Amino acid sequence: MATSIRLRRLGAIAAVTIGAYTIVRPPSFSSNDRNNKSATALDTFRRKIADPFAAVPLRATQEAALIGSSLDNPLDILVIGGGATGCGVALDAVTRGLRVGLVERDDFSSGTSSRSTKLIHGGVRYLEKAVFNLDYGQLKLVFHALEERKQVIDNAPHLCHALPCMTPCFDWFDAIYYWAGLKMYDLVAGRHLLHLSRYYSAQESVELFPTLARNGKDKTLKGTVVYYDGQMNDSRLNVALALSAALAGAAVLNHAEVVTLLKDEGDGRIIGARIRNNLSGKEFDAYAKVVVNAAGPFCDSVRKLANKDAKPMICPSSGVHVVLPDYYSPEGMGLIVPKTKDGRVVFMLPWLGRTVAGTTDSSTSITMLPEPNEDEIGFILDAISDYLNVKVRRADVLSAWSGIRPLAIDPKATSTASISRDHVVTEDHPGLVTITGGKWTTYRSMAEDAVDAAIKSGKLNPASKCLTYNLQLIGADGWEPASFTVLAQQYVRMKRSHGGKIVPGAMDTAAAKHLSHAYGVLAERVATIAQNENLGKRLAHGYPFLEAEVAYCAREEYSSIAKNNRDTGCRAQMG
């Protein structure tokens, strides 16, 4: 079995390596094929991404594709930024038949995209503003986000799922208000609805959420309203986008930093970028007809490379989160506190066997490694303590992180007073298209808008229209919620003891479920490594992560955890 799998993997790697030329020269379509080109292209890319024996091109091959671009033979699009938006742009563009490169100065999903609330939400707060302010723009945001929410879950079902969120009500007015508002949320969702919201009595609520307080703020719990939003493994989803783009033919390269932007000597148009390989220190030029700036909070830094006097368009907002023990929340039920002392929303969600609590929308400055301050941690603990019947202790905080959300101000707007909750696409310097703002939920449509703008800017000739709406990501095709049972029944974890002895261990339910949800149908590749290469030991006691994942991510996901013959380049995003 091990031999056959290795042979098939080698065959797949050889096929990808031999076919790497397609990264530089994607398939072309004649004008006679235009009527059905999109359906044909979608089927082609689905097969490429879903191929169980496919392997992403070597990192050296990806770098060579970027270096191979020239003034006479440029890429169509060069993307700066390997977060959700940047990887989404790369996937969208390459599946339209364009020649695409992407560079990320650190790891894929090393920034804001891995420091989110882990929610794929439709924006229920925007609905409230739309109703009370009679703001149709806010309502459009909700319609759009609800549609995209459902599509994100459908395109990566192993990494995303529906999550019930409970809102406690300590007086009858709140109960009626939230029930009516969330029923409207259901109505607006329409055919994209995940599940219907409903009211639960105080007794039913405590049974569903045992740590929920019956008494709080000198009031008695009257009941709760439970509605559904989506939850995701954000870092794994981002990596899946990067890998899917690579399988589709994009040259994606992490640990590759843009040093300067290249300009045409005649008209000053941006024609590429000088890039430094942060692993080797070597620099090279990559040429493209259009450069897409998807650097998140650092978008202004990239824009200033084109024009040092560029007007800032990022208004950074901080989201702080803490990780608490699992007993703070039941498995499969979140808690949303819609009103805190300063008007912010605080949430408490089950997450990978622990509980994540956090809040958003605090003013902050832009830094490479934002850190939560003690005041923010204290605010979160104080806010949730009013709604729980357990003592909330600072010592229970297992870890904490902060992410910077790049709220956007359109630089072309006459007033900077209005900060957009939607995304902004602008080309304030010829050849440089910037996409920023928005949120994780709408990354796909953000990417679509950015690619549309790039096509217009560079007068590009795509082979088809946008295909990502119904394009499942790597690991999704054929995955089912019960797929983990195959791992549990057919694989063992061969472990090396401290004395060097090899001992078998069960592929228990926790490990099997983790692998299935993290890697989808490709989880069997990881299980095979755990079984055949004696890498079935857990990385840390009490957690389901296995040593085999380190090897797999290094070989197949551009991870720089270890050096090997796959030539690697980013940390494994295993949770």
Side-chain angles (χ1 to χ4, degrees):
M1 178 180 176
T3 303
S4 64
I5 289 175
R6 289 193 183 100
L7 287 174
R8 285 181 293 182
R9 180 180 295 145
L10 287 171
I13 292 171
V16 173
T17 304
I18 293 170
Y21 185 70
T22 58
I23 298 172
V24 184
R25 195 179 296 275
S28 60
F29 295 84
S30 68
S31 58
N32 294 331
D33 298 325
R34 296 290 173 175
N35 292 334
N36 62 356
K37 63 183 181 300
S38 294
T40 303
L42 179 59
D43 185 58
T44 298
F45 287 115
R46 279 175 173 169
R47 289 198 304 270
K48 283 185 177 182
I49 294 172
D51 184 354
F53 305 118
V56 294
L58 301 174
R59 190 173 187 278
T61 303
Q62 302 288 53
E63 185 175 28
L66 295 173
I67 295 174
S69 62
S70 65
L71 274 172
D72 296 328
N73 186 30
L75 298 168
D76 289 315
I77 294 176
L78 175 65
V79 184
I80 302 174
T85 305
C87 290
V89 169
L91 180 61
D92 185 308
V94 74
T95 53
R96 297 198 203 194
L98 298 173
R99 298 176 56 204
V100 182
L102 177 146
V103 290
E104 159 60 41
R105 69 178 171 185
D106 201 336
D107 292 337
F108 297 124
S109 194
S110 60
T112 301
S113 294
S114 63
R115 305 179 187 203
S116 73
T117 63
K118 320 300 181 187
L119 285 177
I120 317 167
H121 61 92
V124 66
R125 286 182 295 162
Y126 304 157
L127 179 61
E128 183 180 35
K129 293 177 183 178
V131 172
F132 283 98
N133 299 334
L134 299 178
D135 189 338
Y136 181 64
Q138 294 280 354
L139 184 61
K140 285 173 62 180
L141 282 178
V142 179
F143 273 116
H144 178 59
L146 287 168
E147 180 180 5
E148 291 295 324
R149 178 189 69 177
K150 183 65 166 61
Q151 209 55 46
V152 172
I153 296 174
D154 288 346
N155 286 345
H158 58 302
L159 297 169
C160 311
H161 61 273
L163 178 72
C165 298
M166 178 177 285
T167 302
C169 306
F170 287 91
D171 60 56
W172 289 115
F173 174 80
D174 281 349
I176 296 171
Y177 178 81
Y178 292 132
W179 179 86
L182 292 170
K183 282 300 177 186
M184 183 177 294
Y185 192 56
D186 293 346
L187 182 64
V188 171
R191 64 188 180 90
H192 305 295
L193 179 70
L194 300 180
H195 298 284
L196 283 170
S197 61
R198 62 162 292 182
Y199 169 81
Y200 288 94
S201 68
Q203 180 60 37
E204 290 173 321
S205 301
V206 172
E207 290 174 358
L208 290 170
F209 205 113
T211 55
L212 182 64
R214 281 183 174 270
N215 298 291
K217 299 181 179 180
D218 301 321
K219 294 182 179 181
T220 302
L221 181 70
K222 300 299 188 290
T224 61
V225 181
V226 174
Y227 73 100
Y228 286 79
D229 258 330
Q231 188 175 47
M232 63 178 169
N233 187 328
D234 54 2
S235 56
R236 289 296 308 168
L237 184 58
N238 196 155
V239 170
L241 284 167
L243 298 177
S244 298
L247 289 174
V252 301
L253 187 67
N254 51 3
H255 294 286
E257 183 174 359
V258 171
V259 180
T260 58
L261 294 175
L262 306 178
K263 294 183 179 180
D264 184 275
E265 294 181 358
D267 58 11
R269 181 180 175 86
I270 301 299
I271 56 174
R274 181 75 175 174
I275 298 165
R276 179 173 59 239
N277 183 327
N278 284 335
L279 297 180
S280 66
K282 295 180 180 180
E283 295 186 2
F284 61 89
D285 292 337
Y287 293 88
K289 297 175 183 177
V290 183
V291 174
V292 174
N293 173 15
F298 302 97
C299 275
D300 284 340
S301 298
V302 175
R303 293 172 62 243
K304 287 182 182 297
L305 293 177
N307 176 12
K308 64 179 181 179
D309 298 322
K311 187 178 180 182
M313 61 182 296
I314 297 297
C315 182
S317 174
S318 173
V320 177
H321 311 78
V322 300
V323 179
L324 301 167
D326 58 343
Y327 56 73
Y328 273 84
S329 65
E331 183 178 353
M333 178 68 75
L335 184 72
I336 304 293
V337 179
K339 293 180 181 178
T340 58
K341 296 173 183 177
D342 64 356
R344 284 184 287 169
V345 174
V346 169
F347 57 87
M348 198 167 67
L349 309 169
W351 173 246
L352 297 180
R354 299 295 183 267
T355 299
V356 167
T359 185
T360 58
D361 294 340
S362 303
S363 59
T364 188
S365 58
I366 297 176
T367 60
M368 279 291 293
L369 296 172
E371 295 182 1
N373 60 54
E374 198 61 38
D375 289 342
E376 289 288 352
I377 294 174
F379 171 81
I380 294 169
L381 298 181
D382 182 59
I384 64 175
S385 65
D386 292 335
Y387 295 87
L388 301 179
N389 60 20
V390 297
K391 185 178 181 180
V392 179
R393 307 176 301 178
R394 176 61 178 84
D396 286 339
V397 177
L398 304 176
S399 64
W401 73 83
S402 177
I404 301 174
R405 181 181 180 186
L407 298 179
I409 303 172
D410 191 338
K412 297 180 181 178
T414 55
S415 171
T416 59
S418 63
I419 299 173
S420 175
R421 295 287 166 168
D422 201 355
H423 61 275
V424 172
V425 181
T426 184
E427 185 182 14
D428 51 353
H429 192 95
L432 180 65
V433 172
T434 295
I435 170 72
T436 191
K439 54 186 178 181
W440 238 118
T441 308
T442 58
Y443 85 86
R444 193 210 62 80
S445 62
M446 290 171 62
E448 182 179 352
D449 290 347
V451 175
D452 287 343
I455 290 171
K456 181 179 179 181
S457 170
K459 297 181 175 60
L460 306 179
N461 185 30
S464 64
K465 62 181 182 180
C466 176
L467 302 177
T468 56
Y469 191 80
N470 292 310
L471 184 66
Q472 287 194 314
L473 303 183
I474 185 172
D477 186 61
W479 181 86
E480 297 289 344
S483 294
F484 75 94
T485 58
V486 176
L487 303 178
Q489 291 177 348
Q490 297 185 10
Y491 292 89
V492 295
R493 296 186 295 117
M494 301 303 295
K495 303 176 288 183
R496 189 182 299 274
S497 67
H498 290 294
K501 184 180 179 181
I502 305 300
V503 294
M507 184 66 74
D508 55 274
T509 300
K513 280 187 174 181
H514 160 65
L515 293 181
S516 178
H517 284 281
Y519 304 94
V521 297
L522 301 182
E524 290 193 54
R525 292 189 185 185
V526 186
T528 299
I529 296 172
Q531 178 174 277
N532 295 349
E533 300 182 29
N534 306 322
L535 292 175
K537 192 174 181 179
R538 295 182 188 274
L539 289 171
H541 180 70
Y543 293 86
F545 310 117
L546 306 181
E547 292 175 334
E549 294 180 73
V550 179
Y552 177 80
C553 293
R555 297 168 187 172
E556 306 293 343
E557 296 190 343
Y558 300 123
S559 163
S560 61
I561 290 178
K563 280 286 185 181
N564 59 26
N565 61 0
R566 289 288 295 155
D567 189 13
T568 60
C570 87
R571 286 194 304 265
Q573 304 289 346
M574 293 187 290

